Amino acid sequence: MIALSKDIIGKKLDPYAFTVERGKIREFCQAIGETNPIYLDAAAAKAAGYLDTPAPPTFQTTFMFWGYPKIWDDMRSVGIDTARLLHMKEEYTYHKPVYPGTTVHAQPEIVDVKVGKMDMVTFRSVYKDEKGETLIEAEMAIVIRPEGS
């Protein structure tokens, strides 16, 4: 494996698309214990002012892992040892609700690398709909534990 370096800052990973399914929103809600009817019942969502059941906050984490399973290979190809990877943080800026049937498009970019006792890498993704309108901006940071820890 190549060594992680700051040279990968600005590297764009492959673009991908992910279609949001109503059933996946329901499964996600079950997994996190979300019972708010606006995420599960279209009538309740419309009564609250939505066009349909919106995806709940943090659902967009699934876009990358379900829509871009190649992320693990791409991380290894830039020197990230995924066997020592820890999730550090996620930050989201919400612009528009994401509804079932929306195909979300994104292209992750490496925006920061810190190399030291523990390496850190930050990825930025802008999730857009089919019209190119921004839905969500996201940053995910990971930490790579030192070898032998």
Side-chain angles (χ1 to χ4, degrees):
M1 179 178 297
I2 65 170
L4 182 65
S5 82
K6 292 180 178 261
D7 293 343
I8 62 171
I9 294 174
K11 178 176 177 52
K12 292 187 180 201
L13 304 182
D14 292 341
Y16 67 93
F18 177 78
T19 301
V20 177
E21 299 172 20
R22 187 177 308 278
K24 291 297 184 191
I25 291 174
R26 183 173 299 279
E27 289 173 4
F28 186 84
C29 288
Q30 288 174 336
I32 64 170
E34 178 59 68
T35 59
N36 187 329
I38 67 166
Y39 303 119
L40 305 167
D41 177 10
K46 289 176 182 173
Y50 293 96
L51 301 176
D52 197 340
T53 52
T58 72
F59 181 79
Q60 61 277 357
T61 301
T62 66
F63 299 166
M64 183 180 290
F65 296 110
W66 289 346
Y68 189 52
K70 180 175 168 294
I71 184 70
W72 306 110
D73 292 334
D74 288 350
M75 285 184 180
R76 286 186 283 274
S77 75
V78 296
I80 297 171
D81 184 346
T82 57
R84 296 185 292 127
L85 181 156
L86 296 172
H87 183 257
M88 190 167 87
K89 71 172 186 174
E90 294 277 337
E91 290 184 8
Y92 302 113
T93 302
Y94 298 92
H95 295 274
K96 295 179 74 175
V98 177
Y99 296 111
T102 302
T103 298
V104 177
H105 300 265
Q107 182 174 23
E109 178 181 2
I110 298 170
V111 295
D112 193 24
V113 174
K114 292 181 174 46
V115 179
K117 227 175 187 182
M118 295 207 326
D119 300 332
M120 294 180 232
V121 180
T122 302
F123 298 85
R124 182 172 191 273
S125 295
V126 178
Y127 299 106
K128 298 183 176 189
D129 64 14
E130 301 90 336
K131 298 175 192 164
E133 295 179 1
T134 299
L135 303 170
I136 301 165
E137 296 176 67
E139 282 198 4
M140 173 184 75
I142 59 171
V143 173
I144 298 93
R145 294 179 289 115
E147 286 189 52
S149 63

